[in-house]
Amino acid sequence: MPAATRERALEAAVELLGAEGVRALTHARVDERAGLPPGSTSNWFRTRRALLGGIVDSIAERERANLEPAAMPTISGVDELIEGLCAMAELQTGPFAARTRARYALFLELADDPELGEPLRRQRREFERWTERIMIAVDIADPVPATRALMALGDGLLLHRLTVDPALDMRPAIERAVRALAES
């Protein structure tokens, strides 16, 4: 049961961070959001730094579980790549929107804290390597810079949809970018 309480606190912390930002993140607010007795979160995470570290680890673990490369369909063509990227973008701005906002907030908050932000950066590098392998399989020239360009576009589209235009149709930009990379 204690592990379930810890997980409830982490889920509530991610939701709070994704909905209200870093300033809203307090032990008391996490307890309240999770429906836990006062002091529960601080039993698991004594300091704000420890809570941030727990959130970072939790987000990285959940993303690995949700986006496990071995469980993803094989992508061997441009059309499949476009479909896969569009589906992933829909997940990140739909069911996983709070987690996506929380991840971006943490990237900014922890930019000057290499140790605490490392699990998120490591997760990002793993995703980059996975994307590079897909770029190679799809036969896109210069897969490393192509991956970086595509991921930067993806970040921009996700941020735009989450902050400015929730109805943004991301498909045209994704399709245009992938086709341009495939033709170069």
Side-chain angles (χ1 to χ4, degrees):
M1 194 61 135
T5 301
R6 181 181 187 276
E7 288 307 308
R8 276 179 54 198
L10 286 170
E11 285 176 27
V14 169
E15 289 172 11
L16 181 63
L17 186 57
E20 299 182 40
V22 175
R23 290 184 184 191
L25 188 66
T26 66
H27 289 81
R29 299 265 327 263
V30 172
D31 287 340
E32 181 183 319
R33 190 170 192 110
L36 296 170
S40 297
T41 300
S42 64
N43 284 335
W44 284 103
F45 308 100
R46 290 279 182 213
T47 64
R48 179 178 176 80
R49 182 174 173 77
L51 179 57
L52 286 169
I55 295 168
V56 165
D57 288 340
S58 178
I59 288 174
E61 287 172 21
R62 289 179 186 169
E63 286 186 339
R64 277 192 300 276
N66 294 137
L67 303 173
E68 173 61 38
M72 301 296 252
T74 302
I75 295 175
S76 58
V78 169
D79 290 333
E80 291 169 339
L81 177 57
I82 292 166
E83 290 303 317
L85 291 172
C86 288
M88 191 172 298
E90 290 297 327
L91 282 173
Q92 295 299 332
T93 59
F96 303 146
R99 184 175 70 194
T100 302
R101 281 190 211 88
R103 180 177 8 91
Y104 284 132
L106 288 168
F107 269 128
L108 293 171
E109 179 72 13
L110 303 176
D112 294 330
D113 191 333
E115 179 186 344
L116 200 54
E118 180 53 28
L120 284 177
R121 286 188 294 280
R122 183 174 49 249
Q123 178 71 8
R124 174 68 179 212
R125 288 188 304 270
E126 288 175 20
F127 189 68
E128 283 178 19
R129 285 191 296 275
W130 176 67
T131 305
E132 285 171 18
R133 288 191 298 273
I134 292 171
M135 300 296 244
I136 292 166
V138 175
D139 202 26
I140 290 181
D142 298 321
V144 172
T147 296
R148 290 185 181 139
L150 202 52
M151 290 185 72
L153 171 70
D155 283 334
L157 290 171
L158 295 178
L159 280 170
H160 190 79
R161 190 179 224 195
L162 290 170
T163 61
V164 176
D165 183 3
L168 174 69
D169 181 4
M170 296 178 285
R171 176 177 285 283
I174 292 170
E175 185 167 0
R176 186 174 191 175
V178 170
R179 293 201 187 284
L181 289 169
E183 292 171 4
S184 57

